[in-house]
Amino acid sequence: MSYTSRIQREQQQSTKNKRSDLILKRIIMTALALTVISFIMTVIVIKTVGKENPNTTTVVPPKLAGQGEQTLGVIQSNVGTDPRISKLLTHAETNVNSDNGVMLPDSSLQQPDGAIVQQNEDSKKETKKQKVVYLTFDDGPSKYTDEIVEILNQNGIHATFFMIGSQLSGNEAHVKNAHEAGNYVGLHSMSHSKKKLYDSGSSANFIKEFTKEQGLIKEITGMAPHLIRAPYGSQPAIGKKFRGDIAAANFKMWDWTVDSKDWNYPHHPEKIMSEIKRQVHRDVEVILMHEKLQTVTVLPDIIEYLSKKGYSFAVYKPDQHFSVNFAKDERL
């Protein structure tokens, strides 16, 4: 063989080796790309399908290379019989069909996505209760009733009003407006008089006043309310027997958890806000306010503050009654 022929043959062999090396590199890159793509697909399938259980359809997750055996077969038929490539393909095929390492999804991850979400939601409900606030307004109806209702309407919320029977006449439109807007109109006695309601020590006049007012409210709204608020609160004037008489008359009674003391700050609505901020901390709050100018002035700020604190606003509903009285008397 001439020197020239030998050189040419060596060059051809070198070119062939370079071509094989290039093909080998491409195979490696292709295998890696397929592995990554298939891993992503597998994760998606796991999250979408869920694991096998009696109430779900069994879905076998794909292997990381998708249809791995078919893909490898196509590659192998296109690259010749280079022993290095054949060895690589054999190794790759073995790993694709293996459940070792991360090549196949861990069966422990095959859970129904819906069940996981539900479990998380239940867990949140157990650890973080919904915060609810009931805004209540005493001593109406008044010239401020409609303004309070309008502020509530603007914020898409409702409140509970405890109105005085002796003030209903002439203010029927205010009462009806509050009721028709979705607020609850409750009872606050006819007279709001300590002497008439408590001094005798008997519940008779107390129940008589609330029964009379109940009838008047029904004439205006068509609804006979059973929720009352005792003027000045139920303590210390209302004892155990007194409470029993109220319950026997089929009334429910609410005190409050937060006293805004708005009646005490006619020229300082900012102090009402300070009282709210100081006292509000429970998951359920019932806030005592009154139909006063200073209360109307600060009410939008109170609503905004409570909203930012994560509170939802609720209105009293008879079918969802719960006890809020200082004596913690479940009868009321």
Side-chain angles (χ1 to χ4, degrees):
M1 180 183 299
S2 65
Y3 177 77
T4 301
S5 298
R6 189 174 62 199
I7 293 297
Q8 290 176 346
R9 186 173 180 178
E10 289 177 355
Q11 289 177 345
Q12 291 175 354
Q13 184 63 38
S14 176
T15 300
K16 185 177 180 179
N17 290 340
K18 289 180 179 179
R19 188 180 296 113
S20 297
D21 290 340
L22 179 61
I23 293 173
L24 179 62
K25 290 179 180 179
R26 288 178 178 174
I27 292 298
I28 293 173
M29 295 302 294
T30 300
L32 290 174
L34 289 171
T35 299
V36 172
I37 292 171
S38 299
F39 181 77
I40 294 172
M41 291 175 61
T42 301
V43 172
I44 293 173
V45 170
I46 293 170
K47 290 185 176 181
T48 306
V49 177
K51 81 173 182 179
E52 178 180 348
N53 65 57
N55 298 317
T56 59
T57 302
T58 301
V59 178
V60 179
K63 297 169 184 177
L64 288 182
Q67 297 179 358
E69 297 176 12
Q70 180 181 352
T71 303
L72 289 170
V74 172
I75 295 173
Q76 189 170 19
S77 65
N78 291 332
V79 298
T81 57
D82 189 294
R84 293 172 297 177
I85 297 175
S86 297
K87 184 176 181 180
L88 173 64
L89 292 177
T90 300
H91 177 71
E93 185 173 4
T94 300
N95 284 330
V96 167
N97 290 324
S98 171
D99 60 358
N100 295 325
V102 295
M103 299 305 293
L104 286 178
D106 185 350
S107 61
S108 66
L109 298 178
Q110 299 177 49
Q111 301 181 31
D113 191 56
I116 294 174
V117 173
Q118 185 63 44
Q119 182 180 6
N120 289 340
E121 289 177 352
D122 290 343
S123 178
K124 287 180 181 178
K125 289 178 182 178
E126 291 176 1
T127 58
K128 186 177 181 181
K129 296 180 180 179
Q130 184 179 9
K131 294 163 62 175
V132 180
V133 61
Y134 291 79
L135 302 180
T136 68
F137 298 91
D138 283 12
D139 297 353
S142 71
K143 61 182 180 180
Y144 300 114
T145 305
D146 286 350
E147 291 185 64
I148 294 172
V149 170
E150 179 59 26
I151 293 171
L152 297 173
N153 289 343
Q154 290 172 359
N155 287 274
I157 62 177
H158 301 98
T160 303
F161 290 80
F162 292 99
M163 296 187 173
I164 299 174
S166 61
Q167 296 175 191
L168 296 175
S169 180
N171 288 311
E172 291 89 348
H174 299 325
V175 178
K176 192 171 183 180
N177 179 47
H179 170 71
E180 291 181 349
N183 304 288
Y184 185 89
V185 178
L187 310 174
H188 201 38
S189 81
M190 288 296 298
S191 65
H192 203 278
S193 166
K194 283 184 178 180
K195 182 177 181 179
K196 292 181 179 180
L197 294 170
Y198 305 124
D199 281 2
S200 69
S202 168
S203 63
N205 198 48
F206 182 97
I207 293 173
K208 181 180 179 181
E209 284 203 17
F210 277 98
T211 301
K212 181 178 180 179
E213 186 188 10
Q214 185 183 55
L216 296 175
I217 294 291
K218 184 177 181 180
E219 289 178 5
I220 298 170
T221 67
M223 182 271 294
H226 291 273
L227 184 67
I228 73 173
R229 173 167 282 163
Y232 311 104
S234 63
Q235 286 184 345
I238 299 179
K240 185 176 180 179
K241 183 181 183 304
F242 202 130
R243 294 194 304 272
D245 293 340
I246 296 172
N250 200 29
F251 288 114
K252 300 294 183 181
M253 183 176 68
W254 263 17
D255 285 308
W256 53 85
T257 64
V258 174
D259 183 357
S260 70
K261 299 181 181 179
D262 54 349
W263 56 271
N264 198 36
Y265 302 118
H267 305 296
H268 298 281
E270 74 282 357
K271 292 186 178 182
I272 302 172
M273 176 62 79
S274 296
E275 290 290 346
I276 299 291
K277 291 181 178 180
R278 181 178 66 84
Q279 297 180 51
V280 166
H281 65 274
R282 304 167 190 84
D283 289 331
V284 178
E285 298 283 17
V286 176
I287 300 180
L288 168 64
M289 292 181 282
H290 298 79
E291 295 193 23
K292 301 286 186 182
L293 175 60
Q294 61 268 27
T295 307
V296 173
T297 301
V298 76
L299 183 57
D301 295 332
I302 292 174
I303 294 171
E304 181 181 8
Y305 170 76
L306 293 171
S307 296
K308 289 181 178 179
K309 290 281 287 183
Y311 283 92
S312 298
F313 295 85
V315 60
Y316 177 79
K317 294 182 179 180
D319 60 346
Q320 299 175 11
H321 175 79
F322 58 96
S323 295
V324 185
N325 60 81
F326 297 143
K328 300 180 180 180
D329 192 328
E330 294 294 331
R331 296 174 297 175
L332 298 173

